[in-house]
Amino acid sequence: MVRSRNYISVSKNEDLFLLSLPDCVSLSEKGGCIFLRISKCRGKGCSFMKSRNELKEGQTRCMHRIANLSLDEQMRISRMYYGGKMPWNDLTAVD
């Protein structure tokens, strides 16, 4: 066995397989998908594939959209999902 980055590979074929996979935030160390809970990545044709930049941009768009809601809606969302905090207020102060 050969130690390689954060995992121990079983064979050189497995290393080549992992290198051929796209840069996706949901890719597991064994080549599976964390979001879909499958053991083998579907590759670039997967509709759930996102790079780190795409994920961050999506989160930023989401926060801007929440910031544009009424204060009542913002408070309801902050209590339900963010423990009463409003992280989108920090974003709007920077922009």
Side-chain angles (χ1 to χ4, degrees), residues 7-41:
Y7 64 94
I8 297 174
S9 68
V10 178
S11 69
K12 289 182 181 182
N13 288 336
E14 183 178 323
D15 283 343
L16 293 175
F17 168 71
L18 291 173
L19 290 173
S20 69
L21 297 176
D23 180 27
C24 179
V25 294
S26 62
L27 184 65
S28 74
E29 291 179 355
K30 294 183 179 182
C33 179
I34 296 168
F35 290 160
L36 298 178
R37 295 185 184 172
I38 56 176
S39 61
K40 191 171 181 181
C41 175

Side-chain angles (χ1 to χ4, degrees), residues 43-58:
K44 292 187 179 191
C46 179
S47 59
F48 290 92
M49 186 185 90
K50 282 189 182 180
S51 68
R52 295 195 190 290
N53 287 338
E54 290 171 328
L55 181 66
K56 187 171 181 163
E57 288 171 5

Side-chain angles (χ1 to χ4, degrees), residues 22-23 31 34 41 45 48 54 59-61 63 71 79 85:
D23 180 27
I34 296 168
C41 175
F48 290 92
E54 290 171 328
Q59 290 171 338
T60 302
R61 279 194 310 267
M63 292 296 168
L71 187 56
R79 283 192 303 265
K85 297 178 184 174

Side-chain angles (χ1 to χ4, degrees), residues 56-69 74 77 82 85-92 95:
K56 187 171 181 163
E57 288 171 5
Q59 290 171 338
T60 302
R61 279 194 310 267
C62 178
M63 292 296 168
H64 282 288
R65 185 171 179 191
I66 293 172
N68 289 325
L69 295 173
Q74 289 183 39
I77 291 170
Y82 295 96
K85 297 178 184 174
M86 295 181 165
W88 50 88
N89 288 338
D90 297 335
L91 281 178
T92 55
D95 291 341

